[in-house]
Amino acid sequence: MSDLIPRASYFKKISPFIGKPLIKVITGQRRVGKSYFLQQLIQSFKKDFKDNQVIYINKELHEFSHITNSSELLKHIEEKSLKTLNTGLFIDEIQDIENFEFALRDLVARGNFDIYCTGSNARLLSGELATFLSGRYIEIRMYSLSYPEFLTFHKKDDNNETFEDFLKLGGLPFLVNLDNQEHVIFEYLAGIYNTIVLKDVVARFNIRNVQFLENLISFLADNVGSIVSAKKISDYLKSQKIKISPQVVLDYLSHLEASYLISKVKRAKIHGKKIFEVGEKYYFEDLGIRNFISGFYLKDIQKIMENVVFLHLRMAGFQVKIGVDGNKEVDFIAQRSNSKLYIQVAYLLSEEKTIQREYGNLLSIGDNFPKYIVTMDQVSETDNYLGIKVISLKDFCLFIFDV
């Protein structure tokens, strides 16, 4: 594993907690690199804590298939643990162990376990579980490769052709092993998509109407960046002679979010704290999987642009909402600590109507936080108007926010 490419931003996030009595939980969609990151953490742990023991459990390997619940997890650790040593415990895909939280709480209480685990389910740390482990864990959310990481992994130069590959193929790390053969890559993405749908959604949530689930995913892929609602989807299905209640739609959307296939972004008042409970937008966690579902076409470039901007903001640690002010909308309000960004996404700024709309929506905001228009136009570093910065999508994806 010595040839693993480090993902520095995630090491930076987790480093302050290494060796501390907190459970480190790495979450994210399947195949975004959680398992490899866990291996890198093991390497680092062995280097920094030479006198400590390491116990590794990977629930995707058959040799650990007998560990199905918290009791069996504790039994396995008791059998492997050397009582005289502190232990680094590393568990991959912990959501496959029933009631794992009981075992983790027990181990943390003992004081001689440094615990790291990964999970592919967003509900891993929600509800009662979050309360049960309150103050005992830190979550590190992992995403597919950012554009700078894509360049590093694929050993490519930053240019328009490489950026188009990134927009088309997405950022799952294993793609580096497929020699940029597009048909092979999309076969791989099809396999990942099917695993997420069948294992993380259908099997985990006992979905019966698989055909509707796949139709719903296709609808979301075709409507990236559009305001949708359960009722809108339900009404559309009725027009197709398919009767599905809005509540079932909501349930299925929730399951897709829990699997990290999609992310929901709510609308909020630009001025004030009101969150709109009806009508939100959905973005995919990986562009390659979205493009496998719906295809990669020029007519969809606005949708793809919005999706990649959303992902870049989330990777940078921002909380993201859609801004609403009367009949005006700002594509993204991004907030981190006490800082805020406003971002409009526009394919091209060639038409006066488009220019007036994009600039006007931002100029109507009365505060001094940074404002951006992200476009596919070629722009210079000095392009701005009344304090609004115009930046190309590629440069935006290379931008490290320091706000």
Side-chain angles (χ1 to χ4, degrees):
M1 290 288 183
S2 60
D3 58 345
L4 293 177
I5 302 172
R7 300 186 68 179
S9 63
Y10 298 105
F11 267 109
K12 183 178 179 181
K13 290 177 183 177
I14 204 169
S15 289
F17 307 103
I18 292 176
K20 302 296 191 298
L22 288 171
I23 303 164
K24 277 70 70 175
V25 186
I26 302 134
T27 60
Q29 182 185 279
R30 283 185 182 272
R31 301 296 178 261
V32 296
K34 301 186 302 297
S35 297
Y36 283 92
F37 184 57
L38 199 66
Q39 290 293 335
Q40 292 171 332
L41 288 172
I42 291 173
Q43 288 181 353
S44 178
F45 186 88
K46 287 180 176 179
K47 181 180 177 181
D48 295 338
F49 302 95
K50 293 183 174 65
D51 296 330
N52 289 14
Q53 180 189 12
V54 168
I55 296 177
Y56 172 63
I57 298 168
N58 184 347
K59 279 299 294 172
E60 293 197 327
L61 298 179
H62 179 71
E63 66 179 285
F64 301 107
S65 60
H66 65 285
I67 305 174
T68 59
N69 57 49
S70 60
S71 297
E72 289 164 353
L73 175 59
L74 284 173
K75 180 181 177 182
H76 177 85
I77 292 169
E78 289 285 353
E79 291 172 351
K80 298 293 183 181
S81 178
L82 301 174
K83 305 298 187 294
T84 58
L85 296 178
N86 289 330
T87 300
L89 176 61
F90 299 82
I91 307 174
D92 209 354
E93 298 296 352
I94 198 169
Q95 77 275 351
D96 292 336
I97 301 174
E98 186 179 357
N99 295 323
F100 67 85
E101 61 272 18
F102 296 108
L104 295 189
R105 187 173 182 179
D106 179 292
L107 295 169
V108 169
R110 299 185 194 188
N112 63 327
F113 283 90
D114 189 10
I115 303 171
Y116 305 78
C117 51
T118 73
S120 302
N121 189 296
R123 295 177 187 169
L124 196 70
L125 297 169
S126 63
E128 292 181 5
L129 175 55
T131 302
F132 191 77
L133 294 178
S134 179
R136 296 177 174 87
Y137 74 90
I138 180 75
E139 180 182 5
I140 306 295
R141 177 68 189 282
M142 180 166 273
Y143 296 87
S144 55
L145 302 179
S146 65
Y147 182 51
E149 288 178 319
F150 183 88
L151 296 175
T152 300
F153 271 62
H154 290 266
K155 299 179 181 178
K156 289 190 173 187
D157 295 327
D158 168 36
N159 55 50
N160 290 336
E161 182 180 355
T162 301
F163 188 59
E164 183 175 334
D165 284 343
F166 173 69
L167 295 181
K168 181 187 296 183
L169 305 176
L172 294 186
F174 189 79
L175 300 189
V176 71
N177 299 302
L178 302 180
D179 300 324
N180 209 31
Q181 298 180 64
E182 192 171 308
H183 70 285
V184 176
I185 288 172
F186 277 103
E187 286 180 13
Y188 170 74
L189 293 173
I192 301 304
Y193 167 77
N194 288 328
T195 299
I196 293 171
V197 171
L198 296 176
K199 186 171 183 178
D200 296 335
V201 184
V202 173
R204 183 168 297 280
F205 298 106
N206 298 314
I207 298 297
R208 295 181 180 180
N209 195 338
V210 178
Q211 183 62 55
F212 164 65
L213 178 69
E214 293 184 335
N215 289 342
L216 176 60
I217 295 169
S218 295
F219 178 88
L220 294 172
D222 287 338
N223 288 276
V224 165
S226 298
I227 295 175
V228 299
S229 66
K231 185 177 185 306
K232 179 180 178 181
I233 295 171
S234 182
D235 290 345
Y236 165 77
L237 292 169
K238 285 179 183 177
S239 73
Q240 305 299 308
K241 309 300 182 184
I242 302 170
K243 291 186 178 181
I244 300 289
S245 72
Q247 185 56 53
V248 172
V249 175
L250 284 172
D251 291 342
Y252 279 31
L253 288 170
S254 175
H255 300 334
L256 292 171
E257 283 186 84
S259 71
Y260 294 110
L261 184 66
I262 59 171
S263 288
K264 176 172 67 177
V265 184
K266 291 190 173 185
R267 297 183 302 147
K269 290 278 287 184
I270 293 175
H271 305 290
K273 297 182 179 180
K274 180 179 179 180
I275 305 293
F276 295 93
E277 295 301 325
V278 177
E280 52 271 329
K281 297 186 179 184
Y282 290 89
Y283 296 95
F284 278 75
E285 292 279 317
D286 181 74
L287 283 168
I289 289 178
R290 183 268 164 200
N291 295 335
F292 157 73
I293 297 165
S294 215
F296 182 78
Y297 303 108
L298 182 61
K299 67 180 179 62
D300 292 334
I301 191 63
Q302 177 75 25
K303 304 173 186 178
I304 293 167
M305 288 177 66
E306 284 193 34
N307 208 136
V308 76
V309 168
F310 166 76
L311 287 174
H312 189 64
L313 290 169
R314 293 295 291 126
M315 291 173 190
F318 288 97
Q319 297 299 314
V320 181
K321 291 184 175 64
I322 312 301
V324 179
D325 185 12
N327 61 354
K328 294 181 179 179
E329 181 178 291
V330 173
D331 289 327
F332 298 114
I333 301 175
Q335 193 152 4
R336 186 177 65 184
S337 299
N338 294 320
S339 296
K340 188 183 293 186
L341 307 173
Y342 299 100
I343 298 170
Q344 290 284 71
V345 181
Y347 172 40
L348 298 174
L349 291 171
S350 54
E351 296 183 4
E352 185 63 28
K353 182 179 179 181
T354 302
I355 294 171
Q356 291 297 326
R357 181 182 68 247
E358 305 299 350
Y359 278 102
N361 288 359
L362 292 175
L363 288 171
S364 67
I365 301 170
D367 61 41
N368 294 317
F369 288 113
K371 300 173 180 67
Y372 294 87
I373 294 179
V374 180
T375 177
M376 291 296 280
D377 282 325
Q378 294 298 313
V379 297
S380 72
E381 292 185 5
T382 58
D383 276 0
N384 68 79
Y385 175 73
L386 295 178
I388 298 173
K389 173 72 175 176
V390 183
I391 185 171
S392 74
L393 180 64
K394 184 164 73 68
D395 287 344
F396 181 83
C397 288
L398 290 167
F399 194 69
I400 299 175
F401 289 101
D402 184 19
V403 294

